[in-house]
Amino acid sequence: MEKINSLQNAHVKGWKKLQTKKGRKQQGQYLLDGWHLVNEAVKAHVAIRTLLITAKQLATEPDLTQFPAVIEISEEVASHISATVTPQGVFAVANLPKAAADPLANLDLTRPWLLLDNVQDPGNIGTMVRTADAAGFAGVAFGTGTVDIHQPKVERSMQGSQFHLQLISTDLGELVARFHAEDKPVYGSELNPEAAQYLDIDAPASFGLIMGNEGNGMSDVLLAQTDKNLYIPIKGRAESLNVAIAAGILMFGLYR
């Protein structure tokens, strides 16, 4: 088994660059950090190229025959390539999915979709993807300005749900048009005089739900394209809800 201990190693420098969108695009790869994500990727038949593992973790997992290549790395290398403060010491280098010529061509539109408009916080994104998975949604669309699907903090915060439903990066306006072409409604999330309380909506089996930026909400362009904009009544004195909390309420409230 190959062993790498130096931070100056060319492979290590390449793995470090996978923390950036540019590096992932150039190498056609991304990094999964921790046993849970690695095991979920294996179950989902993700194209894993190499397993990176420290001696400590190797001692607990002697059978690694399901991986095409295994490299033992030092604790220093593990800390260097990880986006976490205390990495577990196991990583998988996986191939980026091949970009489809038309990302909207093979979508499952029999169930709802969550659309993320310029959502910036990886933790919020991860929570919304996991909630969409739990609520039975078909997929999540990452729109313009939303953090990259394979950004390490996003990957980690999705906790494996990224392998249970469809994730795409696309122009949300085009996706909204696709829903409308199939007579499926798209709901926005904004408190305004024309908005409807979500509990008053009798949603069909398939629809789109757009959640906007944490501070600025949805873009005006998308607000103008929705069939109905929804709000969640607040009974206490809080001014607003966290976007991931609001998304969870709306997803479970509409798809029932």
Side-chain angles (χ1 to χ4, degrees):
M1 181 186 301
E2 183 180 358
K3 297 182 180 180
I4 296 178
N5 298 317
S6 172
L7 300 186
Q8 302 308 313
N9 181 276
H11 290 303
V12 175
K13 292 180 179 180
W15 298 331
K16 178 68 173 179
K17 290 179 181 178
L18 296 181
Q19 291 187 17
T20 69
K21 186 174 183 178
K22 180 180 179 181
R24 292 190 292 273
K25 185 176 181 180
Q26 287 178 338
Q27 298 181 51
Q29 300 171 352
Y30 67 103
L31 200 64
L32 295 167
D33 188 341
W35 275 122
H36 179 68
L37 281 185
V38 172
N39 288 330
E40 287 292 319
V42 170
K43 288 189 287 185
H45 305 292
V46 171
I48 292 175
R49 296 174 60 92
T50 310
L51 184 78
L52 314 175
I53 187 168
T54 62
K56 180 180 178 181
Q57 289 296 320
L58 187 60
T60 68
E61 297 285 342
D63 183 15
L64 301 173
T65 56
Q66 70 268 44
F67 299 102
V70 180
I71 297 176
E72 182 181 327
I73 58 174
S74 66
E75 297 287 347
E76 185 180 19
V77 169
S79 296
H80 182 66
I81 66 175
S82 177
T84 66
V85 177
T86 55
Q88 196 172 11
V90 60
F91 309 82
V93 180
N95 289 337
L96 283 174
K98 291 184 178 179
D102 179 5
L104 306 183
N106 298 305
L107 300 185
D108 175 6
L109 296 183
T110 64
R111 292 178 290 139
W113 275 74
L114 178 66
L115 285 60
L116 305 181
D117 176 29
N118 195 29
V119 180
Q120 296 290 303
D121 183 81
N124 284 336
I125 293 172
T127 298
M128 287 190 279
V129 171
R130 296 198 312 272
T131 307
D133 179 16
F137 274 44
V140 180
F142 287 54
T144 302
T146 298
V147 178
D148 181 49
I149 293 172
H150 298 293
Q151 199 253 33
K153 291 182 180 179
V154 173
E155 286 281 0
R156 189 171 65 255
S157 66
M158 291 188 289
Q159 295 186 9
S161 283
Q162 61 265 52
F163 305 121
H164 305 160
L165 70 178
Q166 289 184 284
L167 300 183
I168 62 170
S169 295
T170 190
D171 181 289
L172 296 188
E174 294 181 3
L175 182 54
V176 170
R178 173 71 184 280
F179 270 90
H180 286 161
E182 300 199 13
D183 295 321
K184 302 178 188 298
V186 176
Y187 304 114
S189 49
E190 186 187 56
L191 178 59
N192 59 48
E194 291 77 33
Q197 184 183 150
Y198 81 99
L199 291 170
D200 295 334
I201 298 297
D202 185 16
S206 177
F207 58 86
L209 172 64
I210 307 176
M211 301 303 298
N213 177 268
E214 289 88 345
N216 301 317
M218 287 175 53
S219 70
D220 292 338
V221 173
L222 287 173
L223 282 170
Q225 295 176 331
T226 55
D227 295 275
K228 183 71 71 174
N229 294 318
L230 312 179
Y231 74 92
I232 300 168
I234 295 177
K235 298 179 180 179
R237 298 172 62 184
E239 292 184 359
S240 63
L241 292 171
N242 169 273
V243 65
I245 296 296
I249 293 170
L250 293 174
M251 282 189 277
F252 276 96
L254 294 171
Y255 190 49
R256 53 186 187 269

